[in-house]
Amino acid sequence: MTSYALRSVLDGGRYFEGPRWHEGRLWFVDCMARTLLSVAPSGEREQHATFTDDTPCGLGFLPDGTLIVLTMHRQRLMRYSGGELSLYADLSGVATGTIDDVIVDGLGRAYVGDLGFRFPPPPDRGAVGRILLVMPDGSARVVAEGLRFPNGIAVSADNSRLVVAEMDGHCLAEYDIEADGGLKFRQRFGSMKSPDGICLDQEGAVWVASFEEDAFIRVASDGRELRRIEVAGRRALACAFGGDERRTLFCLSAATSYEELRQGKSSSRIDAVDLDVGGAGYP
């Protein structure tokens, strides 16, 4: 299996999440520092906003370029435009638990992971997770249920396929996206420990950040492991394609553990690697 050499793009954060490539920069959040950031491939970093009352996590760009940022505990999607944050959607009336990640497809529909429980996670939480859909007109509804800690979400370039990482299920769940944005379950596939953030490539494979395996793993739709990028001693958090022709995979990781996270101890960085098969879809 091919060995990949990662190059460091940015180091010294606390807990980077939600990477999305947009107009020549990688956008992401530092959950623990409660900041919205972006970085150029050269490593030039810019801080755009601070969240004073909640923890930011997932991101997504609307078709007009407006950035949407998820905040976990108050169950909101925030619009970032013109240097200011404003409310995009309040999901507190729909979500049953902490919301964790969001992806916006090419039609401006936002898919949101609802854990079904509040942090800290209860030991007997079960398959209570859901996916919520927020339409461009602001309406929201449940489109999938029975998930075991839904985490990273990705949508294909033609807006017909959605994949979500089931962190407690140690697998990926795949859905067909129907014309009205609803989801039809297709299959569960793959096997990895605590999958976190994900993204799709041009061959339909899924790159998965495996938190407990300290690795980014490329998984085929039939569940076969195709490639593996090790980040020994670091938890793999999220990944996204960007750069020229979207052939650069940005890999977000952190030196931490579950116990250290409970204590607020973490050191995060972003690495990059150029691949033969580039990215496709969202993110």
Side-chain angles (χ1 to χ4, degrees):
M1 192 170 288
T2 305
S3 176
Y4 296 97
L6 292 167
R7 62 182 182 274
S8 178
V9 175
L10 182 67
D11 204 348
R14 296 188 64 195
Y15 200 85
F16 295 151
E17 265 285 11
R20 310 288 187 255
W21 182 260
H22 184 69
E23 295 186 347
R25 299 180 71 84
L26 187 73
W27 291 72
F28 58 100
V29 296
D30 189 326
C31 298
M32 289 187 174
R34 293 187 170 184
T35 51
L36 171 65
L37 308 159
S38 70
V39 64
S42 63
E44 179 266 321
R45 168 188 175 278
E46 184 175 352
Q47 180 172 314
H48 300 278
T50 299
F51 297 79
T52 59
D53 61 355
D54 203 356
T55 301
C57 196
L59 311 178
F61 284 93
L62 296 174
D64 67 1
T66 299
L67 176 61
I68 301 301
V69 186
L70 176 150
T71 64
M72 300 176 70
H73 306 293
R74 298 186 68 182
Q75 303 162 311
R76 299 180 303 180
L77 300 181
M78 304 298 293
R79 177 190 293 108
Y80 178 76
S81 182
E84 300 292 334
L85 290 166
S86 60
L87 182 66
Y88 180 73
D90 183 348
L91 301 180
S92 61
V94 182
T96 57
T98 300
I99 58 175
D100 184 55
D101 203 358
V102 59
I103 198 68
V104 178
D105 73 4
L107 303 176
R109 302 176 297 198
Y111 291 91
V112 178
D114 172 9
L115 301 184
F117 55 81
R118 293 284 192 169
F119 275 165
D124 57 347
R125 48 192 177 265
V128 295
R130 311 185 303 167
I131 296 178
L132 313 179
L133 170 62
V134 182
M135 295 293 284
D137 64 4
S139 61
R141 70 183 195 272
V142 178
V143 289
E145 298 182 274
L147 292 160
R148 299 182 63 86
F149 201 131
N151 209 318
I153 307 172
V155 171
S156 62
D158 64 0
N159 307 300
S160 69
R161 176 192 184 207
L162 182 144
V163 180
V164 57
E166 287 191 84
M167 198 166 194
D168 284 353
H170 306 296
C171 66
L172 304 172
E174 182 177 18
Y175 296 83
D176 293 320
I177 301 178
E178 300 178 321
D180 65 353
L183 299 180
K184 181 180 180 181
F185 179 75
R186 181 187 296 179
Q187 66 167 340
R188 285 184 168 84
F189 66 102
S191 177
M192 68 291 295
K193 295 179 181 178
S194 299
D196 198 333
I198 64 173
C199 60
L200 304 177
D201 70 18
Q202 293 168 0
E203 295 182 349
V206 187
W207 277 98
V208 184
S210 178
F211 187 93
E212 292 188 26
E213 295 187 51
D214 300 0
F216 296 87
I217 305 169
R218 185 175 184 241
V219 180
S221 59
D222 63 4
R224 288 177 298 124
E225 180 177 323
L226 302 174
R227 295 286 185 272
R228 177 176 288 250
I229 300 174
E230 305 279 355
V231 283
R234 304 182 64 83
R235 310 293 82 76
L237 306 180
C239 50
F241 280 98
D244 294 340
E245 300 180 347
R246 293 188 68 189
R247 291 189 180 273
T248 300
L249 183 69
F250 292 93
C251 301
L252 282 60
S253 64
T256 190
S257 66
Y258 287 122
E259 178 60 30
E260 287 174 325
L261 285 175
R262 285 189 285 269
Q263 300 170 13
K265 297 179 180 179
S266 175
S267 176
S268 199
R269 79 173 184 227
I270 300 174
D271 296 308
V273 60
D274 296 326
L275 300 175
D276 292 335
V277 180
Y282 311 90

